[in-house]
Amino acid sequence: MKILVIGSGAREHAIVRALDRSTQDKKIYCLASNMNPGIAEACDEILVCNINDSDFVSNYAKEAGINLAIVGPENPLANGVADVLWKTGVKVVGPKKDLARIETSKAFTRDLLAEYKIPGGPTYHTFNSIEGVADFLDGLGENYVVKYDGLAGGKGVKVAGDHLHSHNEALDYCKELVEKGGEFVIEEKFMGQEFSLMSFCDGDHLKHMPAVQDHKRAYEGDAGPNTGGMGTYSDANHGLPFLTDSDIVQAHEINAATAKALKNKFGEGYKGILYGGFMATSNGVKLIEYNARFGDPEAMNVLPLLDSDFIEICKGITGGTLDKVDVCFKNKATVCKYAVPEGYPVAPVKGEPIDVSKIENPDGLFYASVEIKDGQLVESGSRTVAVIGIADSISEAEKIAEKEISAVKGPLFHRTDIGTNELVQKRIDHMNSIRN
Ligand code: AMP
Ligand code: GLY
């Protein structure tokens, strides 16, 4: 079996490792955006190219005789890489362009939930001009969010209280979006704790992964600018300490209803990872957004816990037989921490050497935005390397992750608070205070 992984961050490093653990006869190929040394070591061939060029990707797959492809990031999905690969006879884990709109269009997702009466959606309205915006904001009062309707790397969303401090500021942002020629969604702001719940999906059946909490803000205590995600944790029981069993069931049900709605709407099913970004609130679980792929860092939390054969799961996804595939995760807690360049995300240093030689467990190290320059590992400006701690409790896993990430040397920083007892307790206290 010849398997192609598209993408070359820490998430794809985790995907390659999960494939590599399978005892099946296989060859692993990677089309990469950067020369990730961890992926290069674990796979048979890696090629740096434009992974968003669907013709290039499909020609490569044809020539290499690829049977199965796994698309890591969202941009190739938005560019129809899955569509072109299926046409050339390659089975793909990752939805076709139309179905990937679940991530690429905020308005599409809100409309889908509303049309199929799936719970968890906010009051919202889609605009392409400034007309009616002021009235709609008045209706929402102080609890509103403005979202640019397209892929913006997390930078298109502005939340009242965090980024916008008055209706005038909100109107200015909306005018900016109108001038850019874009549509935007204004929606009700939810209050609570966020979590990620990813499901493997074959179009008809879903198998759910453990819940994970990500930390988007750059600095300790959730201060500073938004990032791709500084670190994550998951619990041994596959829930989270601030969630109830009912919260997890609601998230499962929303993912299942969304997959069903997508199949109904497009006549063909969603084959890939359905990643729900949820908020637990005093009024049940709400959907913040969908992603059409594994989360990064979330993939590093869940894939190392997978006891089942990842290649079998991928075959189940593409073949529509996921209900017959065993999907089991170890009952362990995990903490993942990223080291990022000084100045990230606003003005990151680039090209500086980093040293990972003091890491104790190389299997828990995932390479991301790095390059090899003159034989030396250097950071290339985005999230640099991630480490994972795995233990019986979040607290123990945090100690492992903290020790390992602190052993990575270079002009980098990381969040020491992610996964600590103090931070987790704050999440629990927050949920208790809003539930009562
Ligand atoms: P998104 O790109 O839709 O995930 O939005 C980025 C971030 O904005 C999310 O991780 C949330 O922290 C926040 N956010 C988005 N929508 C809402 C909402 N309706 N209520 C509260 N926070 C939101
Ligand atoms: N962890 C956030 C994301 O993957 O989008």
Side-chain angles (χ1 to χ4, degrees):
M1 178 128 195
K2 291 185 171 181
I3 306 171
L4 174 64
V5 175
I6 297 168
S8 49
R11 166 182 50 208
E12 291 74 26
H13 192 182
I15 291 171
V16 166
R17 278 196 169 134
L19 292 168
D20 198 35
R21 286 206 308 274
S22 165
T23 52
Q24 300 196 28
D25 197 20
K26 63 193 171 288
K27 274 192 154 185
I28 307 173
Y29 298 73
C30 177
L31 289 180
S33 309
N34 61 308
M35 186 49 77
N36 179 317
I39 295 179
E41 194 188 302
C43 68
D44 294 271
E45 187 173 297
I46 176 167
L47 179 70
V48 176
C49 66
N50 176 5
I51 61 171
N52 300 313
D53 179 342
S54 48
D55 289 332
F56 179 85
V57 172
S58 74
N59 284 333
Y60 174 87
K62 213 188 292 175
E63 271 168 38
I66 300 295
N67 311 103
L68 175 84
I70 304 169
V71 186
E74 61 275 23
N75 283 318
L77 296 169
N79 281 313
V81 162
D83 306 58
V84 181
L85 283 171
W86 276 106
K87 271 195 202 124
T88 50
V90 179
K91 299 184 165 82
V92 189
V93 175
K96 292 183 183 170
K97 187 175 177 170
D98 276 349
L99 290 103
R101 287 176 68 203
I102 197 81
E103 170 160 4
T104 59
S105 168
K106 311 272 186 206
F108 170 81
T109 300
R110 290 308 185 205
D111 289 346
L112 187 82
L113 263 77
E115 183 183 347
Y116 288 87
K117 301 198 168 40
I118 299 169
T123 302
Y124 75 100
H125 199 277
T126 306
F127 296 90
N128 57 18
S129 78
I130 209 70
E131 205 181 317
V133 168
D135 283 348
F136 194 71
L137 285 171
D138 282 342
L140 291 177
E142 295 313 307
N143 294 324
Y144 57 86
V145 180
V146 182
K147 298 182 167 186
Y148 168 69
D149 188 21
L151 286 181
K155 292 182 189 75
V157 176
K158 293 203 192 274
V159 180
D162 287 347
H163 316 96
L164 300 170
H165 303 282
S166 67
H167 283 192
N168 278 340
E169 275 184 38
L171 279 164
D172 285 345
Y173 179 53
C174 294
K175 281 178 197 150
E176 207 181 288
L177 296 175
V178 172
E179 272 157 33
K180 275 192 197 149
E183 284 205 344
F184 56 94
V185 175
I186 302 180
E187 64 184 40
E188 171 192 355
K189 176 184 172 182
F190 295 128
M191 248 71 91
Q193 280 296 320
E194 285 184 59
F195 65 100
S196 308
L197 200 303
M198 304 182 287
S199 308
F200 297 111
C201 180
D202 70 359
D204 292 303
H205 316 99
L206 288 88
K207 294 271 169 107
H208 308 293
M209 302 181 224
V212 180
Q213 187 172 48
D214 188 15
H215 299 75
K216 293 226 164 93
R217 298 301 194 99
Y219 313 138
E220 315 270 313
D222 296 318
N226 270 335
T227 70
M230 294 293 290
T232 30
Y233 62 84
S234 73
D235 207 352
N237 65 1
H238 301 165
L240 286 165
F242 55 85
L243 294 180
T244 63
D245 291 348
S246 158
D247 292 329
I248 297 284
V249 171
Q250 288 174 55
H252 289 174
E253 285 174 355
I254 294 171
N255 280 3
T258 299
K260 196 169 171 196
L262 284 168
K263 172 129 190 210
N264 186 284
K265 194 161 196 69
F266 292 103
E268 71 175 311
Y270 179 101
K271 291 178 184 291
I273 314 305
L274 187 60
Y275 161 169
F278 294 101
M279 177 110 53
T281 75
S282 58
N283 190 21
V285 167
K286 307 294 180 187
L287 180 86
I288 297 287
E289 64 160 353
Y290 268 115
N291 292 316
R293 51 175 173 80
F294 279 112
D296 184 347
E298 288 90 335
M300 279 85 85
N301 298 85
V302 300
L303 288 174
L305 297 183
L306 197 56
D307 262 338
S308 314
D309 185 323
F310 186 45
I311 296 182
E312 278 309 305
I313 296 174
C314 292
K315 285 184 187 166
I317 291 171
T318 58
T321 54
L322 197 54
D323 56 327
K324 300 190 180 63
V325 180
D326 175 46
V327 180
C328 278
F329 293 91
K330 284 188 185 67
N331 282 109
K332 292 279 185 187
T334 66
V335 172
C336 178
K337 297 198 188 205
Y338 256 116
V340 302
E342 282 175 1
Y344 173 83
V346 181
V349 300
K350 275 186 202 166
E352 294 294 324
I354 62 160
D355 178 5
V356 297
S357 63
K358 299 289 186 298
I359 288 271
E360 272 177 28
N361 172 23
D363 291 340
L365 172 70
F366 299 86
Y367 291 93
S369 174
V370 293
E371 293 284 348
I372 307 287
K373 209 167 77 186
D374 303 327
Q376 166 82 49
L377 186 66
V378 301
E379 55 184 352
S380 39
S382 196
R383 291 180 295 175
T384 310
V385 295
V387 300
I388 178 97
I390 303 179
D392 288 328
S393 68
I394 296 172
S395 174
E396 289 166 87
E398 191 278 330
K399 291 187 179 73
I400 299 168
E402 182 58 33
K403 182 160 181 256
E404 291 286 70
I405 205 72
S406 303
V408 180
K409 298 300 174 199
L412 301 162
F413 73 96
H414 70 274
R415 274 184 61 170
T416 59
D417 59 345
I418 293 169
T420 57
N421 288 339
E422 199 188 346
L423 177 139
V424 174
Q425 191 58 48
K426 263 195 212 154
R427 307 293 193 234
I428 298 170
D429 293 346
H430 179 219
M431 274 323 291
N432 285 343
S433 75
I434 65 168
R435 283 193 216 269
N436 295 329

